[in-house]
Amino acid sequence: MYKIIFVLVFAIASCLGLHAQEFQGMAIYESKTSTADFKTRMQGNKDMTPDMQKMIEERMKKMFEKTFILNFNKSASIYKEEEKLDAPGQGGGGMRMMSSMMGGGGTFYKNVKEKSYTVDKDFMGKEFLVKDSLPNLKWKMEAETRVIGGYNCFKATAVRPASKTDFRNFRGKKEENATAKPTDATKKTSFMDEMNIPKDIVITAWYTPEIPVNQGPENYWGLPGLILEVNDGKTVILCSKVVLNSKVKAEIKAPSNGKVISQKDFDETVIKKMEEFREMNQGQGGNGGMRMRIGG
């Protein structure tokens, strides 16, 4: 009798564990980044014709408006940009590099159980495998609620340091007054001196306890429910569709190709390369500002 009860209990426990292990979901996110700063700088460039400005704005729209797919289970997730065919002349090196610096171009794997992430990055023709700990976001639970896609959501906010290698955080410095005295040409400046990057960014997230997983887009996590929307003041990532327990299961595993590197070392590599671009531009008679070809 005891043996039968033991077998039944073991079978039920195994079944429950199997269901928990098999649970999987898929969420589609639309990411949009404000281009106001870039448009202002283009309008102030006297060398840029209206046709050139229109062409760049169209290509910028492709970079600043993206679709991502998040496949997740109870402990891990993969977040990847939806694959789209580039139109002829639209897939240049500058475009690909900018895309990589704007959250695209790789597979972002999160393991919330181990509090770690792995993301593959293709930068300047080299493959990197960035491995590091997930950011420790100290979420503040707010009282506001709203409905997103039929799910009841709660608001949470957090403050996090701004990434120096995420192009979405860049704000070009305002042009100096034309009558102002020129700065000392002998004074050495760096690429980072040319950009305005806020020290901290306020994150607003909306999560739903109706999908009780500790997951979200990009490297956002740590709330008692799937994060359906994130807003950092410049970029909004909004979930447009959720599918739970589909018969077709996605493989959720970390990418493995590329040179293993920490986030700090990868950031330093990117900044160093941007500095080389800047110095190259100076050597060709440029004004020292950062310029990048958007086309092919």
Side-chain angles (χ1 to χ4, degrees), residues 148-168:
I148 299 177
Y151 292 96
N152 293 309
C153 296
F154 294 84
K155 181 180 179 180
T157 56
V159 178
R160 65 177 299 175
S163 169
K164 293 182 179 180
T165 57
D166 189 335
F167 201 81
R168 294 170 297 183

Side-chain angles (χ1 to χ4, degrees), residues 22-252:
E22 288 182 345
F23 169 80
Q24 191 176 118
M26 185 270 290
I28 298 176
Y29 292 87
E30 308 296 335
S31 174
K32 292 187 179 182
T33 300
S34 170
T35 61
D37 292 333
F38 297 94
K39 287 182 179 180
T40 299
R41 289 180 66 81
M42 282 195 298
Q43 291 169 356
N45 188 339
K46 297 179 181 179
D47 297 329
M48 189 173 294
T49 65
D51 287 341
M52 289 172 61
Q53 183 173 331
K54 183 179 179 180
M55 178 191 69
I56 292 176
E57 285 183 2
E58 289 176 353
R59 295 187 178 182
M60 282 173 62
K61 184 177 180 180
K62 283 182 171 289
M63 292 188 295
F64 285 82
E65 296 184 9
K66 294 175 175 291
T67 300
F68 292 86
I69 298 175
L70 177 75
N71 286 287
F72 59 89
N73 55 33
K74 290 286 187 178
S75 61
S77 67
I78 51 172
Y79 183 73
K80 191 172 183 179
E81 184 179 350
E82 183 182 53
E83 294 183 3
K84 294 178 181 178
L85 294 176
D86 290 324
Q90 297 277 325
M95 179 77 92
R96 285 193 298 270
M97 184 163 69
M98 292 274 281
S99 177
S100 179
M101 294 175 69
M102 292 182 60
T107 299
F108 199 113
Y109 171 83
K110 288 198 301 289
N111 189 314
V112 296
K113 189 175 181 180
E114 299 176 356
K115 299 181 180 180
S116 64
Y117 69 89
T118 302
V119 56
D120 55 340
K121 290 283 188 180
D122 183 352
F123 183 72
M124 300 299 294
K126 295 182 179 180
E127 291 185 358
F128 293 92
L129 196 63
V130 182
K131 290 188 173 185
D132 221 312
S133 300
L134 283 169
N136 183 22
L137 297 173
K138 296 180 180 179
W139 293 107
K140 178 185 177 184
M141 305 302 186
E142 308 286 355
E144 295 177 54
T145 62
R146 59 182 284 208
V147 176
I148 299 177
Y151 292 96
N152 293 309
C153 296
F154 294 84
K155 181 180 179 180
T157 56
V159 178
R160 65 177 299 175
S163 169
K164 293 182 179 180
T165 57
D166 189 335
F167 201 81
R168 294 170 297 183
N169 295 330
F170 289 15
R171 277 87 166 166
K173 288 192 173 181
K174 294 180 180 180
E175 302 295 332
E176 299 293 335
N177 190 302
T179 60
K181 294 181 180 180
T183 57
D184 184 358
T186 62
K187 185 178 179 181
K188 188 175 181 179
T189 58
S190 68
F191 162 67
M192 300 309 295
D193 292 332
E194 299 293 330
M195 307 307 298
N196 264 344
I197 301 177
K199 182 179 179 181
D200 295 314
I201 294 177
V202 177
I203 307 297
T204 300
W206 294 89
Y207 68 95
T208 176
E210 295 173 16
I211 307 177
V213 294
N214 197 356
Q215 294 287 354
E218 293 190 0
N219 60 354
Y220 295 107
W221 72 293
L223 288 168
L226 180 65
I227 299 173
L228 296 186
E229 181 177 328
V230 176
N231 188 332
D232 68 2
K234 193 168 183 181
T235 297
V236 177
I237 305 174
L238 176 63
C239 181
S240 59
K241 182 180 180 180
V242 176
V243 177
L244 299 177
N245 291 320
S246 171
K247 291 182 179 179
V248 180
K249 304 291 183 183
E251 187 176 30
I252 299 177

